[in-house]
């Protein structure tokens, strides 16, 4: 759990640096949002790598918990990459049309924020949850779920 939590803490810090988006300047907004979505995708990959590197925990149904967490990360990354592609293809020339694209992306990505992510998926297993609570490196994540 230490390795998993460390990957989540490091990447969570990167994601807390949200871009300043001024839709009155669609070109700058587009650049900022594209950079953020790229960072989000990279962070999801880093968390996935951290979970994979830690391996399946030696508990009952540990492999299933890891598989569920990894599947969730993969689905989230697919959504992020889809949004990134749509944003990259959007024209920033027409501010109103661009605003509509951004609003649509916000709705599309809204589900990621409330999902609880891989940490929730892992902690559904009681033994993994016990290990989480005992791992000192996980204290920074307390209150996440």
């Amino acid at each position: 759990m230490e390795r998993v939590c460390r990957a989540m803490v490091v990447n969570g810090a990167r994601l807390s640096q949200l871009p300043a988006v001024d839709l009155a300047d669609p070109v700058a907004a587009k650049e900022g949002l594209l950079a953020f979505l790229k960072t989000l995708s990279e962070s999801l990959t880093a968390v996935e790598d951290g979970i994979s590197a830690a391996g399946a925990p030696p508990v009952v149904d540990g492999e299933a918990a890891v598989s569920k967490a990894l599947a969730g990360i993969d689905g989230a990354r697919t959504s992020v990459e889809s949004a990134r592609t749509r944003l990259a293809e959007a024209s920033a020339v027409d501010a109103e049309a661009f605003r509509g694209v951004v609003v649509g992306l916000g709705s599309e990505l809204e589900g990621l924020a409330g999902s609880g992510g891989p940490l929730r998926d892992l902690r559904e297993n009681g033994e993994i949850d016990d290990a989480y609570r005992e791992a000192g490196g996980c204290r920074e994540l307390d209150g996440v779920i």
Side-chain angles (χ1 to χ4, degrees):
M1 273 316 296
E2 285 286 344
R3 292 167 79 185
V4 170
C5 288
R6 197 170 321 118
M8 292 182 154
V9 167
V10 168
N11 289 288
R14 289 174 65 196
L15 297 177
S16 68
Q17 300 166 6
L18 298 173
V21 177
D22 179 6
L23 292 177
D25 183 356
V27 172
K30 181 176 179 176
E31 290 173 9
L33 288 169
L34 283 171
F36 177 73
L37 290 173
K38 180 180 181 202
T39 298
L40 178 55
S41 182
E42 290 170 347
S43 293
L44 288 167
T45 298
V47 169
E48 179 180 48
D49 291 347
I51 292 171
S52 294
V59 300
V60 174
D61 296 326
E63 182 73 40
V66 168
S67 293
K68 182 176 181 182
L70 294 176
I73 291 170
D74 188 51
R77 189 177 38 250
T78 298
S79 294
V80 169
E81 286 302 319
S82 174
R84 198 168 143 207
T85 299
R86 285 187 49 216
L87 183 62
E89 293 170 350
S91 172
V93 174
D94 179 351
E96 196 57 40
F98 181 73
R99 180 185 315 271
V101 170
V102 171
V103 169
L105 294 178
S107 298
E108 184 178 320
L109 296 173
E110 188 174 45
L112 297 179
S115 72
L119 188 57
R120 184 210 61 220
D121 293 336
L122 291 170
R123 290 185 69 190
E124 286 176 352
N125 178 297
E127 290 178 272
I128 294 173
D129 187 52
D130 290 343
Y132 170 88
R133 285 187 274 117
E134 293 174 13
C138 295
R139 288 194 183 104
E140 290 181 61
L141 296 173
D142 282 346
V144 172
I145 64 164

